[in-house]
Amino acid sequence: MSLKPTIFGFLALAIFLGTIATAQTAGLWSTSGKVTTSGEKVAPTGASVEEIKGWMTLGDIAKAYNVSVAEIAQTFALPAEQATPDKPLKELESETFSVTNLRQWLAERQAQAP
Amino acid sequence: MTLDTRPRLALAGVKPQARKRTGRFSHRLWRRLSQIGFAAFIAFVIVQHWLAGDTSATTAASAEAFCPFGGLETLYHFVTSSGKFVPHVHMSNLVLAVAVLLTALLARSAFCGWICPLGFLQDLASGASSQLQRRVPAVHRFVRTLKTRAAFLAVLDRPLRFLKYGVLVWAVGGAALFGVMVSRDYDPWAALLTIAEFSLTPGLLVLLVTLGASFFVERPWCRYACPLGAASGLVARLGPVYLKRHAPACHGCAVCNKACPMGLDVAKAATIKSPDCIGCLECVASCPRAGALELKVGLPAVGK
C-alpha cells in the first residue's frame, strides 16, 4: 500500500500529539516538579531529603525539617543579607553551599536525632 | 545519454512520465509549518519561564520539561524507584519520550524531520548557507574549495554515524547508574532550552559548533551525535513504513541523494529503511520521475 507524503506527515503529527493528549486526559502530564499531575502544589514534607529541589526556599526547608534559617546560614556560611526565608536554594549556590550539601547535612542531622 | 526506458517501465506498471509539479500545499510546506509551529512553541516556553523566574511561587514550565530525551534518561530510575525522576525531568518528559518512540514505530523518525526544533535550526543554518552561496560567489567558491579539500574525510562519514549510539548508551546508562543526567552539560538541546540563563556551558559550545557545521554539512548533530535520533531510528526499523525505489522508473539522476539532508544513498537502494532516515521525504519531493520513489506500508519489522 502506498502512502502520500502529506498523509504521512499528518499521521506522524496525529500519533505524536495524540499520545500527549491521551496522557493529559489520563492525568499523566506534569511539566513542573512544583505541582503534581493533578495540579496540587508540591511542598517539602520532611520525609526524605531526596524531595529537596533547587526551587524550594530556605523557609520551606526550615519549616519541613524543623531547623532554623539562621542555623542553615551559619552551617554553610551564607551571607546574612541573602539567607532570607523566601530565597530559593538554587540562588544561594556557592562553593560552600549546594542542594546536594544541604541534603547530606539534613540527612545526617535526621540520623542523629533521637 | 538517454535510454528508452518505456518497455521496462511498462513491465513494472509505472507510467514513464515526468513528475507533475507539486501543488501549493505540498508536504514540504506542511513540514515547514509543523517545524515552525513547534519551534515557536518552545521559544514561547523559554521566554515565559524566563519572565516568570524560577521560585516556589511560580509554576511556569521550564522548556526542559518538553525534552523527550529526558524521558529516556529517567526511564530506568522511574521504573526502579517507583515513579521517581532524575533531576530536571518531569512526567511530561516521559510522555514525550513515549510519543517519539510510538511515532517512530508507526511513522519512522518523522519526529526528527517534522517536529524537532534542533533539527529545524540545523535546516535553517543549512538553508542560510545555500542562500549565501547563491548570492555571494566568493562564499560559494570558499565552501566548494573547503569541501574539495576535505573530501578525504568522507571515509569517516559511515563510522562516525555510529557515534550517536555510543552517546545514547552513555547518556541513558549514566543516568541509570548515577541518578543524574550525565550528558546534560554537553547537550546542545539543553543549552538551547536554558539559553535564557546565560550560562556558558560545554553544551552551548556544542550547539554553536553544530550550527556552524550546518553551513557545510546538513544536520551534523542528527547524523553523528543525536542520542534521541539514534533511539528513534532503531525503533523505526521495526515499523511498517518504508521507502521503495522502483529501479525501472528511476533515471539514476541521484537528485534524491542531493536532497537528502542525512546524506543517505537513496539512488542506489531498493528499499530505504535506514535508521538514519528522518522521514522528511525530501527525496520523494525532489524526484523528477513519477512513481520512482514511493512511501509504502508493509509488514512490521520486515517492511515489504
Side-chain angles (χ1 to χ4, degrees), chain B residues 78-103:
Chain B
F78 183 79
V79 172
T80 56
S81 65
S82 316
K84 287 186 178 163
F85 301 99
V86 297
H88 305 287
V89 173
H90 312 291
M91 187 56 100
S92 55
N93 299 90
L94 204 57
V95 171
L96 287 168
V98 172
V100 168
L101 297 183
L102 201 58
T103 306

Side-chain angles (χ1 to χ4, degrees), chain B residues 30 57 99 144 257 261 264 269 281:
Chain B
W30 293 116
R144 199 176 54 188
N257 282 7
L264 299 177
L281 304 179

